[in-house]
Amino acid sequence: MQAGDMAAAEKDLQVLVKERDPRAQFLLGLYVYGNPDSKMFDLNKAAPLLLDASERGYIPAMIPLAGAYAEGKGVPKSMFESYKWLAVAERWNSPNSAGLLEQVGRELKPDELEKAKAAAMAFTFKTK
């Protein structure tokens, strides 16, 4: 990736992605498939990788996943899911999550906001 060869990066990362390595999923999802400057840009490939990494506890994947949900890019648009992932990220001390959490929270109705907060608090990471 540092050399700008996204095809080589994809090939190298795919080995680890097949083993469901969350860091590899994050790198492939954000920088290879999620980067508009990449020739391999494909949000439909990026979002599932970010989701799986997030569900298994890879905190850096949660902010871009929340953004994907907020914009409906690669996943159905859902401010509820966006807020939930930002709240989970904040709970695990992700930098920059607080301001985004406040911003997305303003988009939800009070009852939706409470449900999203509850969903975030109840969320547990997958182990498999």
Side-chain angles (χ1 to χ4, degrees):
M1 285 189 314
Q2 290 176 342
D5 187 350
M6 293 303 164
E10 179 192 38
K11 183 180 176 187
D12 291 345
L13 289 168
Q14 281 294 353
V15 173
L16 296 171
V17 166
K18 286 180 182 172
E19 296 174 7
R20 294 185 67 218
D21 179 287
R23 183 170 184 256
Q25 289 174 315
F26 168 71
L27 293 171
L28 188 60
L30 186 65
Y31 295 107
V32 177
Y33 299 141
N35 179 358
D37 295 330
S38 170
K39 292 179 183 176
M40 305 182 88
F41 180 67
D42 185 345
L43 295 176
N44 291 320
K45 288 183 178 179
L49 292 169
L50 294 172
L51 177 60
D52 193 44
S54 295
E55 287 178 335
R56 291 181 308 106
Y58 196 70
I59 309 304
M62 293 176 188
I63 301 293
L65 177 63
Y69 274 114
E71 297 175 12
K73 305 257 175 138
V75 290
K77 185 173 181 163
S78 172
M79 297 310 276
F80 177 93
E81 286 295 319
S82 180
Y83 187 93
K84 178 186 92 175
W85 283 111
L86 289 169
V88 172
E90 183 183 52
R91 189 168 104 201
W92 289 94
N93 302 314
S94 174
N96 306 319
S97 58
L100 294 169
L101 192 61
E102 183 179 322
Q103 182 180 351
V104 171
R106 288 192 297 261
E107 300 291 323
L108 294 170
K109 295 176 183 174
D111 63 319
E112 293 173 320
L113 183 59
E114 291 308 312
K115 287 179 185 176
K117 287 178 181 179
M121 290 304 294
F123 181 78
T124 56
F125 297 121
K126 293 182 179 179
T127 57
K128 293 184 182 186

